[in-house]
Amino acid sequence: MTPDEFRAAGYAAIDWIAEYLESVEERPVASVVVPGALLAALPPAAPEDPEPWSAVLADLDRRIVPGLMHWQHPSFFGYFPANASPPAILGELLSAGLGVQGMLWVTSPACTELEIGVLEWLRVALGLPDRFSAAGPGGAVLQDTASSATLCALLAARDRCAAPLAQQVLYTSTQAHSSVAKAARIAGFAEAQLRLIPVDDTLAMRVDALSEQVAADRAAGRVCSAVCATVGTTSTGAVDPVAQIGRACGDAWLHVDAAWAGSAAICVEHRGLLAGLEHADSFVFNPHKWLLTNFDCSAFFVADRAPMLAALSILPEYLRNAPTASGEVVDFRDWQVPLGRRFRSLKLWFVLRTYGLSGLRAHIRGHIALAAWFAARIAADPRFELAAPVSLALVCFRHAGGDGVNQRLLDALNGSGRLFLTHTQVDGQLALRLAVGGRMTEARHVEAAWAEMVAWADREAVATG
Ligand SMILES: *Cc1c(COP(=O)(O)O)cnc(C)c1O
């Protein structure tokens, strides 16, 4: 591609994205392709000779789009959102355009320093304690995912603990995200070393059960090296009592996973979510879920970076350089598992500046208000019930008719192509989850979701007499 061809193709690609976002609402939210459809359509080998750009772009529409779930569709209510925004998309594009690799300060000083700067903006915006500021012994880094951040926290905790690995135990709740169990496994813990603490009727970790387990483990000569608390569980949005957990777990490393819910703390009325964070050794939340910054972008804060650096630093000869040797700079390769790193802070910087905190708060508040409206409809209709307390913009609910009815309801809603929800289990029973969080989601989309449910329930009542 010559520079002029690149310009033309680039403008066309931006037009394509703009049209996609403008019309995404007209597409079926979930893809209906059968497994293997795209693979069967691809030639078995890469083309020997160059193809024109127009042919490649045409295949984006023909081959790729049919196999997509449209996460930016305003009626996408599944999992948790992975919302994006025009400034974030441009940040991603410019990051690719620059093509820099920020593994060391010296390999692009601005990449490291912008990251430090915007993470401090986020720390202040969320009201996180000063101990997570890079001005002291702590600091923050952008990781690809919360899964990676949790792994780094467990590696630091494991190595900080004076006891040998075989004697260590970890605690988290039965509702914790699967990334905690995966991180424990990668960090070398046996499955039995991860204790799943039971939850109360709001699905939050029971501190009395935690304290009992701590006492039993101590009596048996085991040492708790880390506790993972969750603020906003993936299943139902439950919030563990972080302050009490911090007091119960002594000097174990306390990691707080707020992957989805953390973004809400930019609104002062939701700061209570972060109560007890002054006890935490680390905290992670994902701007790539609910802060209009496209995947991947996970913000990881530590109160003391030294144990993490001790766990993750290795300096081979070929990476030695004068700024690193001076000790005056941060090399983020030591704050993550991979060596190489993308210029992720660029998109976050664009988002923070073009929306402003007020704009981001308006989005979060809008989503929470829509979820509250939907939950009120559920509560007022005797055919439906809330399956768990409403958490921010997440509503877990079910039809009162039992698992079979709920599965058919979910299949019918998702099969319509007009909206998309996912499910979970609460108290051993199926529950549907409606997670509001799309950048383009408005009241009419949530109202339409409710109307679809009512219409289905009416038909169901007729069909079953
Ligand atoms: C989504 C989620 C994760 C995993 O996030 P990734 O960034 O995809 O690793 C972890 N914990 C909770 C509570 C989540 O909701």
Side-chain angles (χ1 to χ4, degrees), residues 279-302:
H279 297 282
D281 293 284
S282 54
F283 172 80
V284 64
F285 88 103
N286 286 347
H288 73 226
K289 275 187 169 155
W290 200 11
L291 215 56
L292 299 177
T293 308
N294 60 288
F295 190 87
D296 53 2
C297 186
S298 182
F300 179 48
F301 296 82
V302 289

Side-chain angles (χ1 to χ4, degrees), residues 233-300:
T233 60
T234 314
S235 175
T236 63
V239 177
D240 288 341
V242 173
Q244 291 164 284
I245 291 170
R247 282 191 288 270
C249 72
D251 50 13
W253 184 289
L254 176 57
H255 174 61
V256 176
D257 174 4
W260 163 69
S263 293
I266 64 166
C267 303
V268 68
E269 69 273 26
H270 299 301
R271 286 279 163 81
L273 283 172
L274 304 181
L277 219 58
E278 62 280 5
H279 297 282
D281 293 284
S282 54
F283 172 80
V284 64
F285 88 103
N286 286 347
H288 73 226
K289 275 187 169 155
W290 200 11
L291 215 56
L292 299 177
T293 308
N294 60 288
F295 190 87
D296 53 2
C297 186
S298 182
F300 179 48

Side-chain angles (χ1 to χ4, degrees), residues 22-355:
E22 258 175 346
S23 63
V24 67
E25 183 166 3
E26 292 150 30
R27 298 176 189 270
V29 190
S31 170
V32 293
V33 295
V34 295
L38 175 63
L39 270 177
L42 284 181
E48 191 58 36
D49 297 315
E51 293 186 64
W53 173 247
S54 56
V56 180
L57 198 62
D59 278 347
L60 180 63
D61 285 303
R62 197 160 60 117
R63 301 290 187 207
I64 303 300
V65 171
L68 297 179
M69 173 168 280
H70 299 291
W71 284 72
Q72 306 309 316
H73 193 297
S75 297
F76 177 96
F77 301 117
Y79 309 102
F80 276 138
N83 67 21
S85 64
I89 293 165
L90 295 175
E92 192 74 68
L93 178 65
L94 285 161
S95 163
L98 297 171
V100 304
Q101 224 274 38
M103 57 192 180
L104 301 166
W105 179 88
V106 79
T107 62
S108 270
C111 179
T112 295
E113 294 188 13
L114 184 64
E115 188 161 325
I116 295 172
V118 295
L119 283 165
E120 176 64 9
W121 285 7
L122 276 188
R123 187 189 70 76
V124 173
L126 266 67
L128 300 180
D130 289 346
R131 63 202 306 242
F132 294 120
S133 164
V141 62
L142 288 175
Q143 301 254 350
D144 53 0
T145 58
S147 302
S148 295
T150 297
L151 173 59
C152 291
L154 290 194
L155 294 172
R158 179 195 70 185
D159 290 2
R160 188 180 73 169
C161 180
L165 177 57
Q167 247 171 285
Q168 296 182 22
V169 284
L170 308 171
Y171 304 133
T172 197
S173 93
T174 58
Q175 300 296 306
H177 190 266
S178 55
S179 54
V180 176
K182 194 187 261 192
R185 200 192 283 177
I186 297 170
F189 292 89
E191 204 169 311
Q193 286 172 280
L194 176 64
R195 311 271 193 238
L196 299 182
I197 307 297
V199 292
D200 65 17
D201 52 10
T202 70
L203 302 168
M205 190 192 289
R206 271 178 45 201
V207 179
D208 61 328
L210 173 69
S211 300
E212 272 171 39
Q213 186 67 54
V214 171
D217 279 323
R218 277 203 190 123
R222 289 182 284 259
V223 180
C224 171
S225 50
V227 181
C228 289
T230 312
V231 169
T233 60
T234 314
S235 175
T236 63
V239 177
D240 288 341
V242 173
Q244 291 164 284
I245 291 170
R247 282 191 288 270
C249 72
D251 50 13
W253 184 289
L254 176 57
H255 174 61
V256 176
D257 174 4
W260 163 69
S263 293
I266 64 166
C267 303
V268 68
E269 69 273 26
H270 299 301
R271 286 279 163 81
L273 283 172
L274 304 181
L277 219 58
E278 62 280 5
H279 297 282
D281 293 284
S282 54
F283 172 80
V284 64
F285 88 103
N286 286 347
H288 73 226
K289 275 187 169 155
W290 200 11
L291 215 56
L292 299 177
T293 308
N294 60 288
F295 190 87
D296 53 2
C297 186
S298 182
F300 179 48
F301 296 82
V302 289
D304 180 5
R305 56 189 181 263
M308 185 183 58
L309 298 183
L312 296 173
S313 301
I314 296 177
L315 182 58
E317 180 55 35
Y318 45 79
L319 294 181
R320 288 184 193 279
N321 64 86
T324 294
S326 77
E328 278 173 48
V329 301
V330 172
D331 290 328
F332 275 134
R333 76 193 169 96
D334 295 334
W335 296 57
Q336 60 176 24
V337 172
L339 169 64
R341 56 201 328 276
R342 295 155 27 71
F343 197 168
R344 290 193 189 89
S345 57
L346 207 53
K347 59 187 172 186
L348 192 52
W349 191 45
F350 287 5
V351 168
L352 289 167
R353 292 184 62 185
T354 56
Y355 281 92

Side-chain angles (χ1 to χ4, degrees), residues 413-432:
L413 294 174
N414 290 349
S416 77
R418 290 186 290 271
L419 72 172
F420 182 76
L421 279 71
T422 54
H423 74 279
T424 186
Q425 284 244 333
V426 182
D427 302 329
Q429 276 183 285
L430 192 61
L432 275 51

Side-chain angles (χ1 to χ4, degrees), residues 384-436:
F384 292 97
E385 63 195 26
L386 291 173
V390 178
S391 177
L392 302 168
L394 174 65
V395 186
C396 291
F397 65 95
R398 55 169 76 97
H399 189 285
D403 280 5
V405 172
N406 281 290
Q407 187 63 55
R408 283 193 290 115
L409 170 59
L410 182 62
D411 292 345
L413 294 174
N414 290 349
S416 77
R418 290 186 290 271
L419 72 172
F420 182 76
L421 279 71
T422 54
H423 74 279
T424 186
Q425 284 244 333
V426 182
D427 302 329
Q429 276 183 285
L430 192 61
L432 275 51
R433 296 168 73 266
L434 179 111
V436 185

